Amino acid sequence: MLDRSPVRANGSPGEALRETVAFAREIEALGFHRFWVSEHHSVPGIAGAAPLVLASAVAAATSTIRVGTGGVMLPNHQPLVVAEQFGVLESLFPGRIDMGLGRSVGFTGGIRRALGHGKDDADRFGEQLSELLGYFDGTQDRHPGVHAVAAEGTRVPAFLLATGAGADLAAELGLPLVIAAIRGEKAMIDAIDRYRDNFRQSSFGPAYVIVSTAVSVAGNSAAARKLLLPEAWSTTYSRTRGEFPPLLTPDQVLALPITDRERARLEQSLSGQIFGTGPEVLDRLEGLAGRAGADEFLITTASHDRGELLESYRQLAGLVNRQVATVAG
């Protein structure tokens, strides 16, 4: 699962970050395979701005689950520093660290200036990524004689986060692909097909696709949909007003006087997510896995009530475990 450390209305960023670490322990107990954190800068509703720092805290609070980033936005950083930081994490928590990498830069000009980067930096993502990977196997030659000491010789699985064109870079470099249907399911599946068709075998193994989506499981479809409302509304708000706000409760969202345009965007956001009863969700996940050829799902659900969210993840884990047992049997 991916946790962006969402800030709740009337809550604080500090509380959100501590909740992420506590939530990781709960998710580990449920048997999930990975727990990833994200990088967002100057977003009022998201506290997750320093993924490698947060990943270290999560790894220290857990013992078996893989911990990683979904992801580090490489254009915001120097590849050497990123390699060193992941090398330190892997040295402290050997065999448990995932390196998820993306090409996004700050959302606004002010954020980009504060980070010391511009939109054009994203165009160098492929070059930066190759340099970063070279620090791990000792092949980087952009800066002769420079080594990421803690990273060199370690084995940290790398994942490329993409929305479309990035799938081609993942194929070229032989990296596992993490992708979401941000531009619609057909566009996502087309990108996955190109990825598999053009994949070049590398030391990172065969082609591997992780599909990212929000999933909500509850006793009925209405309750499951309601759990998704807080983040869906914050996403809608950000697309119409340019700012992702702290999460409201579902009832607060339902009581809002929203415009027809906002309502249409809210429904569009919810239509791309998976929610319902256990059998409904399992059927939809299996359908999506079949259409997309997914090897794994990255669940990105967030909501105001952490207790209800944990229960949804608990039911999801139960569904998957029962299905695995049935297939194995």
Side-chain angles (χ1 to χ4, degrees):
M1 70 156 289
L2 171 69
D3 193 316
R4 298 184 184 90
S5 303
V7 180
R8 294 185 287 181
N10 299 319
S12 72
E15 290 171 342
L17 292 168
R18 291 188 291 272
E19 286 170 352
T20 289
V21 176
F23 207 62
R25 289 193 290 265
E26 301 280 5
I27 290 298
E28 179 179 63
L30 293 176
F32 280 77
H33 183 50
R34 308 182 199 274
F35 190 96
W36 285 4
V37 294
S38 65
E39 177 180 346
H40 295 275
H41 297 283
S42 191
V43 180
I46 299 178
L52 285 158
V53 176
L54 185 54
S56 180
V58 169
T62 55
S63 58
T64 58
I65 197 168
R66 297 196 64 88
V67 177
T69 56
V72 167
M73 298 299 113
L74 193 53
N76 292 335
H77 310 280
Q78 291 297 327
L80 171 62
V81 176
V82 175
E84 289 172 333
Q85 291 176 343
F86 273 107
V88 169
L89 270 180
E90 175 62 22
S91 298
L92 294 175
F93 308 100
R96 293 181 56 209
I97 302 302
D98 293 331
M99 182 169 60
L101 304 160
R103 70 183 295 273
S104 294
V105 292
F107 295 127
T108 68
I111 296 172
R112 290 190 291 272
R113 287 191 295 273
L115 291 170
H117 296 279
K119 282 186 177 181
D120 293 346
D121 288 333
D123 297 334
R124 297 179 49 246
F125 179 56
E127 174 187 317
Q128 288 181 308
L129 187 53
S130 295
E131 179 184 337
L132 170 64
L133 298 177
Y135 283 118
F136 286 88
D137 61 15
T139 62
Q140 85 79 24
D141 56 8
R142 182 175 175 81
H143 304 286
V146 177
H147 300 267
V149 176
E152 192 166 311
T154 64
R155 176 74 177 174
V156 181
F159 300 80
L160 197 152
L161 280 64
T163 57
D168 301 320
L169 180 59
E172 178 184 341
L173 296 176
L175 296 177
L177 172 68
V178 184
I179 191 166
I182 293 176
R183 295 184 174 90
E185 185 177 298
K186 183 181 184 304
M188 179 184 74
I189 292 175
D190 288 346
I192 292 172
D193 288 343
R194 291 199 315 274
Y195 167 76
R196 291 195 180 278
D197 289 343
N198 300 316
F199 185 82
R200 297 180 182 177
Q201 186 73 39
S202 74
S203 62
F204 292 96
Y208 193 83
V209 175
I210 300 178
V211 170
S212 174
T213 184
V215 176
S216 173
V217 187
N220 57 68
S221 186
R225 182 182 185 278
K226 193 173 181 181
L227 185 67
L228 296 174
L229 276 175
E231 187 174 42
W233 167 248
S234 287
T235 300
T236 298
Y237 189 99
S238 72
R239 290 174 179 170
T240 56
R241 308 185 193 186
E243 179 180 295
F244 190 97
L247 300 181
L248 300 173
T249 68
D251 288 338
Q252 287 173 323
V253 174
L254 291 171
L256 290 171
I258 65 176
T259 66
D260 289 342
R261 181 187 178 204
E262 289 171 335
R263 189 177 304 280
R265 284 186 176 271
L266 179 63
E267 292 301 324
Q268 181 182 21
S269 177
L270 290 169
S271 68
Q273 300 177 350
I274 295 174
F275 61 89
T277 64
E280 290 171 341
V281 165
L282 186 60
D283 182 65
R284 291 168 188 167
L285 282 173
E286 289 181 332
L288 178 56
R291 294 189 301 275
D295 298 295
E296 185 175 335
F297 284 112
L298 177 64
I299 310 303
T300 62
T301 315
S303 194
H304 184 276
D305 190 314
R306 283 278 188 167
E308 291 182 356
L309 181 61
L310 179 61
E311 178 57 28
S312 174
Y313 275 107
R314 181 177 290 112
Q315 292 191 47
L316 178 60
L319 285 172
V320 173
N321 290 336
R322 286 192 294 273
Q323 184 70 0
V324 169
T326 299
V327 172

